[in-house]
Amino acid sequence: MMENVESDSKVQIRSGALTRARLATGAAMAFERLWPKVLPLLLAALLFASLSWSGLFRALPDAARYAIGAVFALLALASLIPLLRFRLPDAAEITSRIEAANQLQHQPIAAQNDRLPADADPVSAALWLEHQRRMASRIGSVAADAPRPAIPRLDPFALRSIPVLIAAVALAFSFSGSGTLTDILHGAPPPEKVPPRIDAWVTPPAYTGRAPVFLTSAANAATKLFTVPAGSEVTLRVTGGAGTEIAKLGAAELKPDESGGAAADKEAPAIFKSALTSDAQLSLSSDGRPLDDWQFKITPDQPPKIEFSGDAERTFSGSQTFAYKAIDDYGIASGRALLTLEGAAANARPLYDAPEFKLSAPGRKSKDGLAKTAKDISEHPWAGASVRVTLTAMDDAKQECRSQPRAMELAEKVFANPLAKALIEQRRILALDANSKPAILNILDMLTLHPDETIKNASHYLGIHTAQRRLQLARTDDELRSVVAYLWEIANGIESFGLTDAQRRMREAQEKLSKALEEGASDEEIAKLTEELRKAMKDVMRELAEQARKNPDLAKEMPPGTDMLTQQEIDKMLDKMQDLAKQGARDEAKELLSQLNEMMNNLQAGKGQQQGGEGQSAMGEQMNKLGEMMRRQQQLMDETQRMDQGGEGQPGDQGGEGQNPGTGEGQEGQNGQSPGGRFGGLQGRQGQLQRDLQALMDGLEGMGLDPGRALGDAGRSMGQAEGNLGKGDGGEALADQSEALDALRKGAEGLMNQMQQALGQQGGGTRPGFRRGANPLDPLGRPRATTGPDFGQTTKVPDDIDVQRAREILETIRKRLGDALSPQLERNYLERLLKFD
């Protein structure tokens, strides 16, 4: 009996392990049957998720999106059909699977479940029980069987992994916001409302030279008050927002600017523009809610002012120069000189209009508004006429002003030949009054009355006789004007008679270059004509040098102050003139060319001038002495300043200027010291300079010239400086020396005017107002020794204002700021760039 009980417990224990194996094996068999039927549905779901996560449904229209959704719905329903045939494994199938998995023979597990009929006899029951016990002993420890689905057999190439990989990639991509699983229902989500970005700026008129003001980043953006010039344009740019923004300037509503295609592109920024003509407020609102506003105070454009700033200058070559002062709050745009005849008869009938005289505008950065304009009017029939000149100026706002009229005599080309001079005078009379024809015919008759005595050259006589005949036959104004032009040709031919080929080429080159500068020729043409003039001037200089070699006394016949040019100085002047032309300063280039031409004319004219030669040489010698005194006074000022500041003075001028060999004055204090103080050496030299000035003044009086009050003031200032140096007061001495130097400059200018007038009376051809040789500048444009050093008053820097590039940069910055995808770091940097103080 004990053995039977023990066997029953072992069977039950084995039955507990068997139950667990049956459950696990049944689940494995159910999975094997279910997985092949569920896999198509899962693959379809992965494909749907991949398309959703990739953002495809957001990019498709509604009809295509709904069609694809219907296709996936049908695929899902078709995938459910195999599930209808699914059934769970029964007990017998599970038992058979366990026995096969554990390699149990004779079905020991199935025998445990078998039962005898109820009417079996005891012997059979005992035998059956023994059989079950023996089968149970074979079972041992059974294990459940693992699932073995048939997928590898159905999909030997593992194509089922492709949808899985695609879904994994799409899932990773979906984290960037590309798409969601619900996109099949509503497509792309509504865009997020971007808060509007407001950019506002004011662009002043280009002629003001002012930079645009960025309103939202300016220094006074907090106060919302901006002062801008009249005619400025305000621009308001709104990027993003609801698209319902309204801009108003005062009470007027602004319409968006649609020139850039903003109306067609919904994402384009809205741009509002308007001109500012009066004080107003600019406001921006959206859906009745105010967004921002700005106040503008308009600065009116003041009219220009113009007036003469000095006497008009004339040259022998016929160049007229006007000096004037033109002022405007934003610069002068253009100017003209209006000429009317002075003292003309009431019935006069001029054949020509007044010469057109455009004035060059002062630089926009010029504080004093001073400017000069030179024009060659030698060929114009009005040259030499008495006129009344009125200067006009206009600014960029088309506001015009006029100066007080001034009476003057226009420049003209000075002819040395008496016959040419007479023809030019009659030409001018005829051009200014066609009614003077009978009187001019009488004058021409008188000129040709005794040709053997008055006209030595037969060709000149023939030309005058032809002009006389043409004038007799002239009936219309055009015919009279042709006679005027013919008289100019005859006079120039008579004047140039006897000129060498080099001199003729030089004059032709001068006229061509002057005309090219007047008409605004190209830089290449200017360079070509400049090179022709350079070569012609070289030939002329070579001829003059050859004449000077043959006649050594020729240099003594030159008038005082005449510019003794060298070829190197001519080249430098031509190079400077060409540079000015390239920089756009054509008026300055023409003036420099006029100066060079005048110097060359004076150089040639000095060959035969012998009348008054000794007096002229004496005058030039006195001017040289005065210039040397100014240099010595400047040197004394420099040494006084160094010693007064604690430095060591330089004795200077050893045994030379400022010393009196006879008395030894100026020798004491060679080391900067003397018994009278540390300025003793300078004191002696200052006293000597004062005595030399007095001697110069005595010499000028002996020549019939008035030294003037300025030179007397210079002598007194020198005496005061000498006394202060003896006292050791360097500061007071320095001030006296400065006053003495200024007085010497003023005296030199007055003396120069007297000498010019004296030379005009002696030479018989120079009139007040002409610059004859005594040019205040040297051939290189620098002040001479008699005018003192240049403190920047004659230096002019070309004024080139170009804000176009700045405007392009600002527009680029604003576009970058309007880009919603720009990083915040870049936005902050661009904001700082637009902060104008």
Side-chain angles (χ1 to χ4, degrees):
M1 291 294 295
M2 293 296 294
E3 293 180 358
N4 292 336
V5 173
E6 183 179 359
S7 298
D8 291 339
S9 64
K10 291 181 178 180
V11 172
Q12 291 181 1
I13 293 172
R14 292 192 183 98
S15 297
L18 180 60
T19 299
R20 291 191 294 272
R22 291 176 67 85
L23 292 175
T25 302
M29 294 178 66
F31 175 77
E32 291 175 358
R33 296 178 180 183
L34 182 62
W35 179 243
K37 294 177 174 59
V38 174
L39 185 59
L41 179 61
L42 294 177
L43 293 177
L46 288 175
L47 181 59
F48 171 77
S50 299
L51 295 179
S52 300
W53 289 333
S54 65
L56 175 65
F57 296 139
R58 292 187 178 184
L60 293 177
D62 294 343
R65 189 175 68 254
Y66 293 150
I68 294 177
V71 172
F72 274 102
L74 293 176
L75 287 176
L77 292 176
S79 301
L80 294 176
I81 295 177
L83 290 176
L84 299 177
R85 296 191 298 270
F86 173 76
R87 64 181 182 85
L88 294 173
D90 55 18
E93 292 173 339
I94 295 174
T95 300
S96 177
R97 180 69 174 269
I98 293 175
E99 290 174 345
N102 291 275
Q103 298 180 355
L104 299 177
Q105 298 179 356
H106 305 297
Q107 301 180 341
I109 298 176
Q112 301 300 321
N113 296 327
D114 293 342
R115 295 291 182 268
L116 288 176
D119 58 350
D121 57 78
V123 176
S124 298
L127 290 174
W128 180 249
L129 181 61
E130 181 64 21
H131 174 71
Q132 285 183 327
R133 184 178 296 111
R134 290 180 180 180
M135 291 296 104
S137 63
R138 292 184 180 182
I139 294 175
S141 58
V142 294
D145 191 13
R148 296 190 296 273
I151 298 301
R153 179 174 55 81
L154 299 176
D155 183 19
F157 298 103
L159 298 178
R160 59 191 180 278
S161 62
I162 296 177
V164 178
L165 294 176
I166 294 176
V169 174
L171 177 62
F173 186 62
S174 68
F175 288 106
S176 64
S178 59
T180 61
L181 295 177
T182 60
D183 289 347
I184 191 66
L185 301 177
H186 49 69
E192 298 181 2
K193 288 187 177 181
V194 180
R197 173 178 179 80
I198 302 172
D199 296 321
W201 63 92
V202 173
T203 305
Y207 67 82
T208 63
R210 294 189 179 182
V213 180
F214 196 69
L215 304 181
T216 52
S217 298
N220 53 341
T223 62
K224 304 293 185 180
L225 179 61
F226 298 87
T227 302
V228 295
S232 299
E233 183 183 60
V234 60
T235 303
L236 184 61
R237 180 175 181 170
V238 182
T239 306
T244 59
E245 290 77 16
I246 298 177
K248 289 185 177 181
L249 185 62
E253 181 177 338
L254 303 181
K255 294 182 179 180
D257 184 14
E258 299 179 357
S259 59
D265 188 359
K266 296 181 179 180
E267 298 182 358
I271 300 177
F272 305 90
K273 293 183 178 181
S274 179
L276 298 174
T277 57
S278 60
D279 297 351
Q281 178 183 13
L282 176 64
S283 60
L284 180 66
S285 61
S286 178
D287 298 327
R289 180 173 56 90
L291 297 179
D292 213 335
D293 62 272
W294 302 270
Q295 293 282 346
F296 298 106
K297 183 176 179 58
I298 305 303
T299 302
D301 191 339
Q302 300 297 328
K305 297 179 181 179
I306 189 170
E307 60 183 8
F308 287 96
S309 63
D311 295 334
E313 297 178 351
R314 298 170 291 172
T315 64
F316 278 120
S317 59
S319 178
Q320 180 73 54
T321 301
F322 291 140
Y324 48 91
K325 179 180 182 181
I327 301 177
D328 186 68
D329 43 6
Y330 300 116
I332 302 297
S334 62
R336 292 186 305 161
L338 304 179
L339 282 63
T340 58
L341 287 174
E342 181 77 4
N347 60 344
R349 185 161 58 90
L351 294 174
Y352 295 86
D353 295 331
E356 184 178 357
F357 214 116
K358 294 182 179 180
L359 303 179
S360 59
R364 293 186 181 270
K365 294 183 180 180
S366 175
K367 295 182 179 180
D368 53 14
L370 297 177
K372 283 186 177 182
T373 299
K375 180 180 178 66
D376 184 5
I377 60 172
S378 58
E379 295 187 19
H380 197 278
W382 280 37
S386 297
V387 296
R388 184 171 292 271
V389 181
T390 302
L391 304 181
T392 67
M394 180 180 294
D395 61 8
D396 290 277
K398 306 304 180 183
Q399 301 180 101
E400 189 177 27
C401 67
R402 296 194 175 201
S403 69
Q404 292 294 328
R406 176 177 292 187
M408 64 180 65
E409 186 175 331
L410 290 179
E412 63 177 329
K413 180 179 179 181
V414 177
F415 290 82
N417 187 285
L419 182 60
K421 188 181 302 184
L423 292 177
I424 286 298
E425 183 177 3
Q426 300 308 309
R427 167 184 178 264
R428 179 173 62 252
I429 295 174
L430 178 61
L432 298 181
D433 186 6
N435 298 327
S436 61
K437 171 183 174 181
I440 296 175
L441 286 174
N442 292 333
I443 297 297
L444 294 180
D445 282 337
M446 293 175 61
L447 290 176
T448 57
L449 186 61
H450 299 286
D452 295 338
E453 299 178 3
T454 58
I455 305 175
K456 301 298 183 182
N457 189 287
S459 61
H460 297 167
Y461 170 79
L462 181 60
I464 297 174
H465 182 73
T466 303
Q468 180 184 9
R469 183 62 178 167
R470 291 176 61 175
L471 182 58
Q472 288 177 345
L473 299 176
R475 296 293 182 266
T476 65
D477 288 351
D478 289 338
E479 292 175 347
L480 291 175
R481 279 189 282 266
S482 68
V483 175
V484 171
Y486 188 63
L487 288 174
W488 171 258
E489 295 178 3
I490 297 174
N492 274 286
I494 295 174
E495 179 70 16
S496 61
F497 181 75
L499 292 180
T500 64
D501 292 340
Q503 292 171 342
R504 290 194 182 93
R505 290 198 307 271
M506 184 185 71
R507 291 196 176 186
E508 292 176 359
Q510 290 172 350
E511 293 175 357
K512 290 181 180 179
L513 183 54
S514 179
K515 185 177 181 181
L517 290 173
E518 182 73 23
E519 297 177 352
S522 63
D523 293 341
E524 292 76 10
E525 182 68 17
I526 296 296
K528 178 182 178 181
L529 295 177
T530 303
E531 189 60 29
E532 292 181 3
L533 179 59
R534 193 192 310 271
K535 293 179 180 178
M537 285 186 171
K538 281 185 178 179
D539 295 339
V540 172
M541 294 294 291
R542 190 179 298 110
E543 289 181 353
L544 293 177
E546 182 65 21
Q547 293 175 9
R549 187 183 65 81
K550 294 180 180 179
N551 185 9
D553 296 332
L554 183 63
K556 299 180 182 180
E557 301 173 1
M558 302 296 291
T562 299
D563 298 314
M564 298 302 295
L565 290 175
T566 64
Q567 187 60 46
Q568 185 178 6
E569 292 172 342
I570 292 176
D571 292 339
K572 288 184 178 180
M573 291 187 72
L574 290 174
D575 292 339
K576 183 178 179 181
M577 181 208 65
Q578 190 172 351
D579 291 340
L580 289 173
K582 288 182 179 179
Q583 296 170 6
R586 295 295 178 98
D587 291 331
E588 289 80 357
K590 288 187 292 184
E591 184 175 1
L592 187 60
L593 177 61
S594 176
Q595 293 178 9
L596 179 59
N597 294 344
E598 183 181 0
M599 293 175 186
M600 291 297 297
N601 292 338
N602 292 338
L603 194 62
Q604 298 176 75
K607 294 184 301 180
Q609 293 184 2
Q610 299 179 2
Q611 181 180 356
E614 295 180 359
Q616 295 173 2
S617 300
M619 292 180 185
E621 183 179 354
Q622 298 300 320
M623 289 299 299
N624 292 335
K625 288 182 179 180
L626 184 56
E628 181 64 20
M629 288 183 183
M630 294 174 67
R631 188 191 68 80
R632 290 165 57 189
Q633 184 62 72
Q634 181 69 56
Q635 184 179 13
L636 286 171
M637 284 181 60
D638 296 339
E639 295 183 16
T640 302
Q641 184 178 14
R642 285 196 298 268
M643 295 184 65
D644 187 53
Q645 294 176 352
E648 295 182 357
Q650 297 177 359
D653 301 3
Q654 299 288 342
E657 62 186 31
Q659 299 180 7
N660 190 336
T663 62
E665 291 181 304
Q667 296 293 338
E668 73 272 17
Q670 291 295 322
N671 57 356
Q673 299 289 343
S674 74
R678 61 191 181 105
F679 294 105
L682 298 179
Q683 178 188 6
R685 292 162 58 192
Q686 184 69 74
Q688 182 63 41
L689 183 57
Q690 181 186 11
R691 289 187 289 274
D692 292 344
L693 177 60
Q694 184 60 48
L696 175 64
M697 295 170 62
D698 295 340
L700 292 174
E701 291 178 351
M703 296 173 60
L705 297 176
D706 181 13
R709 180 178 178 181
L711 292 183
D713 293 340
R716 285 189 292 272
S717 297
M718 289 179 182
Q720 295 173 1
E722 180 184 7
N724 288 321
L725 288 173
K727 298 176 183 178
D729 191 348
E732 290 296 330
L734 190 62
D736 295 332
Q737 290 173 339
S738 178
E739 294 177 359
L741 185 58
D742 291 338
L744 287 174
R745 289 170 180 161
K746 294 179 181 179
E749 293 177 1
L751 186 60
M752 182 66 70
N753 294 332
Q754 293 185 55
M755 294 177 62
Q756 287 181 342
Q757 295 177 4
L759 290 175
Q761 295 173 359
Q762 294 176 8
T766 305
R767 293 175 292 175
F770 279 96
R771 299 176 301 182
R772 185 184 179 100
N775 193 338
L777 302 179
D778 68 4
L780 302 183
R782 302 167 298 193
R784 298 183 179 278
T786 56
T787 59
D790 182 12
F791 295 102
Q793 300 176 354
T794 60
T795 303
K796 181 177 180 181
V797 180
D799 180 20
D800 298 329
I801 300 177
D802 186 11
V803 296
Q804 184 61 31
R805 179 57 180 163
R807 296 179 189 273
E808 294 176 357
I809 294 174
L810 284 175
E811 185 63 23
T812 303
I813 293 175
R814 295 190 187 105
K815 289 182 180 179
R816 291 293 300 168
L817 282 172
D819 189 356
L821 299 179
S822 299
Q824 186 61 36
L825 182 62
E826 181 181 353
R827 289 170 175 267
N828 296 338
Y829 173 69
L830 295 177
E831 289 280 6
R832 291 194 298 271
L833 289 180
L834 290 176
K835 287 184 179 180
F836 296 106
D837 294 330

